Amino acid sequence: MIVRQFISWIRTAPAGERAEATRSLARAWLISDLTEDDRAAAEGALLMLLDDPSPLVRQAMSQVFSRSAEAPAAIVQALALDQASIALPVLEHSPLLIDADLVDIVATGNSETQCAVARRVNLPPSVSAAIAEVGSPAAALELIENAYAELAPFSWDRIVERHGHLAAIRESMLVLEGLPSATRLALVAKLSDTLAQFVVAKNWLSPDRAGRLASEARERSTVNIAARSRGEDMQGLVQHLRATGQLTAGLILRALLSGNLELFDASLAELSGLPHARVTALLHDRGGASLQALLIRAGLPESTFAAFRIALEVSHETGYVDTPGGAARLRRRMVERVLTHCETDRKAAEPLLILLRRFATESAREEARQFCDELVAEEAITHDDLIAA
């Protein structure tokens, strides 16, 4: 009886009063002990109110039903497809929307609705993949910052491919601890390309010079990222490098000269097709024949064999050192030994000598930076001791 009176009254009531009355009826549906007849009548009235000309009425329903698993499913479905101000609470919170509903909404909705879906708690990989594939940059950013969203590796890669040129996207992804190394490297590549295009557009550098500097920066970043990678993450990184044409002799030599044995071993295993343990055993064979056979099988240029051999000899003498932050650095002694040998070797190709000279410069600058940092640290300790005295 009350619901019938409500239906008669609401036809002529002002919009604001209709909205408040609708809110009360929706709450009654959820928490009141209605008879079966009254419950059916209330649902009918609420379904009728979906056609109300005032958005205030539908907003009232959306606010009440958005978080409830007991809300009428048909009403929630209709509210999810309404205008943004009405749909957003339902899209962000309703437990009644299934994955297929959310994927369809992401595919057909605007940026606002995509962002609401991206903020959902316990967002499944299928919906995350849809946002990564067709979502706006704002939706992708919401997805990245949603600690409750599940993303498959290919979804991370798709976000980088579509939006990696945007600083906000890069910054949000690079601070994530569990980001796959291959994805992190792809982000660095996007940053390098963006910076190269910028300096070329400003006429600060020629395209060739900017491209070379970007390539060198990517190589250094690759070694630093690889220093923090292990197991499947390292394998994924090496596979990414190979697929993108970055797993070159120069990069592998840089890994060895940087003391990153994990990347060096994994790269040769990937290129040679041999098990990782077998590659490691061959590299520890001091005879030299095993190394040459391995390098041949990996398809590396013969002109680089001597550089690899000398670098391994020096590494066996000095061992490998990982920095506390996991970033491997070029070690000057090893680089200079390799460079000295190659400069006196008539078989050494000019491109290899150019590469080694560049490595030597980098290692010298790195050593100088470390020396200056140590001086500053010692000066600070001395100053503190004087104050304490």
Side-chain angles (χ1 to χ4, degrees):
M1 181 66 68
I2 295 175
V3 176
R4 293 190 182 93
Q5 293 173 351
F6 172 84
I7 294 173
S8 298
W9 168 81
I10 206 166
R11 296 180 186 276
T12 57
E17 294 181 14
R18 296 201 307 274
E20 286 304 314
T22 299
R23 190 187 312 276
S24 298
L25 183 60
R27 285 175 177 164
W29 165 274
L30 293 179
I31 63 176
S32 297
D33 187 17
L34 299 174
T35 66
E36 189 172 334
D37 288 344
D38 282 344
R39 195 169 186 81
E43 183 175 3
L46 291 168
L47 285 166
M48 177 197 71
L49 289 167
L50 290 172
D51 297 323
D52 193 286
S54 173
L56 295 176
V57 173
R58 303 193 301 283
Q59 283 176 8
M61 272 195 286
S62 177
Q63 291 165 1
V64 174
F65 288 146
S66 62
R67 297 175 183 268
S68 175
E70 306 300 325
I75 292 177
V76 169
Q77 288 282 346
L79 293 172
L81 299 176
D82 211 316
Q83 66 191 59
S85 61
I86 297 165
L88 294 186
V90 171
L91 294 178
E92 185 171 348
H93 301 294
S94 178
L96 298 179
L97 297 177
I98 64 174
D99 296 355
D101 295 329
L102 297 171
V103 169
D104 183 64
I105 288 167
V106 168
T108 59
N110 59 20
S111 180
E112 272 190 296
T113 58
Q114 290 173 346
C115 286
V117 173
R119 289 191 293 267
R120 289 177 66 92
V121 174
N122 298 326
L123 197 65
S126 59
V127 182
S128 297
I131 297 171
E133 186 64 35
V134 301
S136 67
L141 188 59
E142 292 281 7
L143 183 64
I144 294 166
E145 296 179 347
N146 184 352
Y148 303 100
E150 296 182 52
L151 279 82
F154 69 84
S155 295
W156 287 116
D157 294 339
R158 189 62 176 139
I159 292 174
V160 174
E161 184 180 346
R162 296 184 62 234
H163 306 302
H165 61 287
L166 301 174
I169 296 288
R170 290 196 306 270
E171 291 170 5
S172 294
M173 291 183 71
L174 287 173
V175 298
L176 297 175
E177 289 293 334
L179 191 69
S181 291
T183 303
R184 194 177 297 277
L185 182 59
L187 276 173
V188 171
K190 283 283 187 180
L191 175 59
S192 298
D193 291 341
T194 300
L195 292 175
Q197 293 169 11
F198 176 76
V199 297
V200 169
K202 292 289 186 179
N203 291 321
W204 293 344
L205 293 174
S206 68
D208 289 344
R209 174 66 173 163
R212 195 181 81 179
L213 290 175
S215 178
E216 293 174 6
R218 282 195 296 270
E219 283 190 6
R220 289 194 295 271
S221 297
T222 298
V223 175
N224 289 334
I225 291 171
R228 300 190 295 270
S229 305
R230 296 292 184 272
E232 291 184 4
D233 191 35
M234 174 66 80
Q235 185 178 359
L237 174 62
V238 172
Q239 290 172 349
H240 169 80
L241 291 169
R242 187 178 189 182
T244 55
Q246 299 179 69
L247 196 59
T248 62
L251 176 61
I252 298 172
L253 183 58
R254 178 188 283 275
L256 177 57
L257 294 174
S258 300
N260 192 330
L261 188 58
E262 288 284 339
L263 177 58
F264 179 62
D265 287 7
S267 298
L268 292 181
E270 173 69 23
L271 292 176
S272 66
L274 294 174
H276 191 278
R278 177 62 176 159
V279 168
T280 301
L282 290 173
L283 291 176
H284 282 82
D285 180 3
R286 304 295 181 92
S290 297
L291 173 63
Q292 181 167 327
L294 179 60
L295 296 176
I296 291 173
R297 178 160 181 153
L300 298 181
E302 186 177 353
S303 60
T304 64
F305 289 3
F308 281 112
R309 178 173 57 79
I310 299 300
L312 276 174
E313 288 177 0
V314 179
S315 70
H316 289 149
E317 295 173 8
T318 60
Y320 290 88
V321 178
D322 290 331
T323 63
R329 295 171 176 169
L330 290 170
R331 288 182 297 172
R332 192 171 185 178
R333 180 185 172 194
M334 184 187 294
V335 176
E336 290 183 348
R337 281 272 299 273
V338 174
L339 177 58
T340 299
H341 176 85
C342 290
E343 284 178 334
T344 58
D345 184 359
R346 295 181 180 180
K347 294 181 181 180
E350 187 63 28
L352 175 61
L353 293 175
I354 293 173
L355 185 68
L356 290 171
R357 291 188 187 108
R358 195 171 79 229
F359 288 171
T361 301
E362 289 179 17
S363 64
R365 293 177 65 178
E366 181 62 30
E367 185 178 62
R369 281 193 290 268
Q370 289 180 348
F371 177 73
C372 292
D373 289 344
E374 289 171 1
L375 285 181
V376 171
E378 290 175 2
E379 180 67 23
I381 292 173
T382 302
H383 183 263
D384 291 342
D385 290 343
L386 289 174
I387 292 177

